[in-house]
Amino acid sequence: MARKTANDDPLAPVTLAVGQEDLLLDRAVQEVVAAAKAADADTDVRDLTPDQLQPGTLAELTSPSLFAERKVVVVRNAQDLSADTIKDVKAYLGAPAEEITLVLLHAGGAKGKGLLDAARKAGAREVACPRMTKPADRLAFVRGEFRTTGRSATPEACQTLVDAIGSDLRELASAVSQLVADVEGTIDEAVVGRYYTGRAEASSFTVADRAVEGRAAEALEALRWSLATGVAPVLITSALAQGVRAIGKLSSARGGRPADLARELGMPPWKIDRVRQQMRGWTPDGVSIALRAVAEADAGVKGGGDDPEYALEKAVVTIARAARSRGRG
């Protein structure tokens, strides 16, 4: 979910949306436009790319109107503006026009940093729209989507949805909307599974779960389905690594309640319970063997081998065997 500065008035003279997550950037624009149209249904909205904002264009768009109409001027990819146009924008920031809201969308990197700094110095309302690369961030996003709708979803349901859909926030948001529209009451893991069973079975985390549980045949079946449906091999090695590392972390942790272990290990409490079930049969040697297998597979899918699929199959079988190492003698 996008984070905002203390100045949270969408009709502030200047809104600065910073980041590379397209959905959050679009929502930042939509929020401003909606507020402007609520204040004046005839609000004029201009949505511009850098090539459309030439030197002098901003002055024309923000010049006083005979009818004093409200206007929203959106500038996308502001970091790509020409030097002369950036001078125009900086000058405008010093004296923004009444009844006009300027929305600057900036990627947040080094390019165009002078404009970014100038907008902040001018007191622009800022909305952070960072790309969500971590699974935990996408999980928090899904939870926030459910909260926004006023609906309840279990932690397991949120995790299953993230595992099934993947990293595309638009698809995650769409899935939440569909579930909220179609399902009454609390949304649980079973409901998500019914809606997204094909995708859930194809997810990299399903492969990892089956492997660390020692279910080699099911893990291989899930692996082949994942690859056939376009899941990137690097995502599968990442999920395998996360699964094995979770086993290692929990097996070496002190005993305690899930909530205490969750804080110690940086996992949600529900995941502690799941990993506890998965770690039966694992030994320290088994964890070491599995981690080496993951490292070899990772190298194999990143160009170190001729057959990424074979590298993954070998890793899955090795991990499944390691999961059953206790008691084999």
Side-chain angles (χ1 to χ4, degrees):
M1 185 177 295
R3 299 186 299 275
K4 302 168 186 173
T5 55
N7 174 20
D8 196 23
D9 179 7
L11 293 181
V14 181
T15 285
L16 179 64
V18 184
Q20 300 179 43
E21 192 62 69
D22 289 341
L23 173 66
L24 301 184
L25 291 168
D26 285 346
R27 285 184 173 182
V29 172
Q30 291 164 7
E31 182 182 28
V32 172
V33 171
K37 287 187 173 291
D40 181 354
D42 295 325
T43 294
D44 181 19
V45 179
R46 302 296 180 91
D47 198 324
L48 307 171
T49 56
D51 61 300
Q52 294 173 312
L53 194 66
Q54 299 297 320
T57 304
L58 184 63
E60 293 177 9
L61 292 173
T62 58
S63 60
S65 167
L66 178 63
F67 302 102
E69 64 180 348
R70 181 176 291 278
K71 188 177 295 183
V72 174
V73 178
V74 180
V75 180
R76 297 184 182 272
N77 298 311
Q79 72 279 356
D80 295 331
L81 292 171
S82 69
D84 288 339
T85 303
I86 287 177
K87 289 180 183 178
D88 287 352
V89 177
K90 286 182 177 179
Y92 178 82
L93 293 173
E98 292 186 11
E99 301 298 312
I100 293 178
T101 298
L102 175 65
V103 185
L104 298 174
L105 275 57
H106 194 292
K111 186 177 184 182
K113 189 173 184 299
L115 177 58
L116 192 63
D117 293 341
R120 286 169 171 163
K121 186 176 180 180
R125 166 184 178 257
E126 186 167 344
V127 182
C129 306
R131 191 177 297 282
M132 296 189 181
T133 58
K134 297 179 180 179
D137 293 337
R138 295 192 286 273
L139 183 59
F141 171 79
V142 167
R143 289 173 174 166
E145 290 291 288
F146 280 117
R147 280 197 300 271
T148 299
T149 65
R151 294 293 300 278
S152 176
T154 67
E156 294 83 359
C158 294
Q159 183 65 58
T160 299
L161 193 59
V162 171
D163 291 349
I165 299 298
S167 60
D168 191 312
L169 288 200
R170 291 187 190 279
E171 290 194 26
L172 285 169
S174 176
V176 169
S177 297
Q178 181 180 19
L179 289 166
V180 167
D182 293 356
V183 180
E184 296 182 0
T186 299
I187 296 166
D188 59 19
E189 185 177 12
V191 169
V192 176
R194 286 199 301 272
Y195 270 72
Y196 298 99
T197 181
R199 299 184 69 160
E201 289 301 321
S203 79
S204 55
F205 289 99
T206 299
V207 178
D209 284 342
R210 299 297 85 80
V212 299
E213 290 162 4
R215 297 154 64 179
E218 293 177 38
L220 287 171
E221 182 181 358
L223 170 63
R224 288 161 188 154
W225 182 251
S226 294
L227 294 172
T229 54
V231 176
V234 292
L235 295 181
I236 298 174
T237 55
S238 175
L240 290 170
Q242 289 182 48
V244 175
R245 287 183 189 132
I247 297 288
K249 282 183 179 181
L250 192 56
S251 62
S252 61
R254 300 186 304 272
R257 297 177 305 168
D260 296 331
L261 286 170
R263 285 191 294 271
E264 180 183 343
L265 302 178
M267 299 180 190
W270 66 264
K271 188 170 184 179
I272 296 292
D273 292 333
R274 175 179 289 183
V275 176
R276 271 180 170 164
Q277 295 173 353
Q278 292 174 334
M279 64 187 287
R280 296 167 186 162
W282 281 91
T283 65
D285 286 344
V287 172
S288 297
I289 291 170
L291 286 174
R292 285 197 297 272
V294 172
E296 291 174 4
D298 190 55
V301 303
K302 291 179 179 176
D306 296 329
D307 190 343
E309 183 173 339
Y310 172 73
L312 287 169
E313 288 182 355
K314 182 179 177 182
V316 164
V317 171
T318 301
I319 292 168
R321 286 176 178 169
R324 295 177 170 272
S325 58
R326 189 184 301 278
R328 284 204 327 228

